[in-house]
Amino acid sequence: MEHLPLRRQVARFPVTAWEARLSTVLERSAAFSSRARELTPGGVHSNVRLSAPSIFFERGEGAWLYDADGNDYVDYLLGQGPNFLGHAPARVNDAVAAEARRGSVFGANHVLENEAGELFLDTVGWAERVRFGVTGTESDQAALRLARAATGRNRFVRFAGTYHGWLDNVLMSMVDGKPAPGSAGQLSHSLTEAYVLPFNDAAALEATLAEHDDIAAVIVEPVMFNNGAIPPAEGFLAHVRRLCDAHGVVLIFDEVITGFRVALGGAAERFGVRPDLAVYGKAMAGGWPVSALAGSAALMDRFAEGVVHAGTFNGSVPACAAVIASLKALREDPPYARLEEYGDSLMDAIVEIGRDHGLPLRAQGLPMAFHVSFGDPAPVHDYAGLAGLDLDRYAAFSHTLADHGVWVAARGIWYVSAAHADKEMAATLERFDTAAAQVSA
Ligand SMILES: Cc1ncc(COP(=O)(O)O)c(C=O)c1O
């Protein structure tokens, strides 16, 4: 299916004009969109999607999305990360379909669980036990509960700009450099559970752990992908590890984005630091809803000894089938070298296209997931550093990119999948160049 040339000719438009334009150019999406608003708040089933253009997709295949009006998009949002093998990977979907014929969920053990658990633990490399869940949000909560149970302490340390799910004790925004509730209706005392420190600031962590004896855990996104795709400074994670050991604090890696993506063994492998617990999601199951909490036997076995973790759909037949097929695919044909090459070239090309058009486009992160925005090219090391970038301008530009057939998140993160190859690179660069020309005109 060809990308409609009509959409390339649409004049520059502000994001607020999207809906008006939608009704004249993307007719079927516009009709779906107006009906959706009558059925679900804001027309979306997750608030994260409120910032996206109201395009309704019909299907995804490999690195491509196809909308209801017949347009194609090179996809770098990848469902917010789960489609690491590309959309509709045949090996995974065939396995899920075949296994689901025997049923979905029994509220009891089933014969695929052990194979999924063995493959998972062997692939992660460092952990001794795993509990499957459905979302990263709930597995993060299980990790924090386990840390509280193990230490007898209540509070935890986190870093400004990380995301650990949408529940009250972890949802947070930063207002004038200070932690603030991320939502109306959030329990007013919920943010007092966390000490919030700047990412990459080991000295601040050292001081906080020395000062407070009520800290059960340090939870960290090893690469702060949720804001700026900020990598850990050299030695930062190892320093955090040493400090947690010194204070008897549980180190939790939130590998929901990094897991199976930045290396087969996730951030623990890539950066050579072992957490006590780690939470996984997204890339582990070829687009299917599965999360996991993994860790040492000493910690994890508490789930069989009084610490509650439950979930009707945990470790369902389709979930285990998806995990088995996805991990086998990643182990048998590791995409990591290709991803490094593709992502590095793409980041360079984005900056270069920007330069050609007089746009201060910048990219930072890792090749398999990185952040694009406008601003000073110098690397940003923590959340405060993002204030120097023009994130709003990029959010508007993300809509122009959609208009030209490149699907990306307004918040700047680009995910690369195992299905992105030469054809996708060529289409991306051509479309990106046209979009850049449009906003620089
Ligand atoms: C690092 C991190 N942790 C936790 C979550 C929450 O996962 P879920 O959306 O599956 O609940 C996310 C989601 O994007 C995430 O990026």
Side-chain angles (χ1 to χ4, degrees), residues 134-138 140 163-166 221 226 254 256-257 282:
V134 180
T135 68
T137 295
E138 40 158 319
D140 272 334
Y163 179 70
H164 303 296
W166 61 275
E221 277 186 72
N226 272 297
D254 186 336
V256 169
I257 294 182
K282 302 203 192 267

Side-chain angles (χ1 to χ4, degrees), residues 123-174:
T123 308
V124 163
W126 60 272
E128 296 168 309
R129 300 280 191 273
V130 60
R131 267 285 173 97
F132 292 123
V134 180
T135 68
T137 295
E138 40 158 319
S139 292
D140 272 334
Q141 292 298 316
L144 290 169
R145 177 177 286 176
L146 199 52
R148 290 193 295 266
T151 59
R153 307 171 191 161
N154 273 334
R155 299 173 84 181
F156 63 93
V157 171
R158 64 173 302 176
F159 298 91
T162 59
Y163 179 70
H164 303 296
W166 61 275
L167 297 187
D168 279 6
N169 61 341
V170 286
L171 187 66
M172 190 186 81
S173 61
M174 298 294 289

Side-chain angles (χ1 to χ4, degrees), residues 108 115 190 209 221 227 230 275 302 306 361 423:
E115 189 182 356
S190 57
L209 289 173
E221 277 186 72
N227 265 299
I230 300 175
R302 287 171 182 269
L361 278 161
K423 178 181 161 209

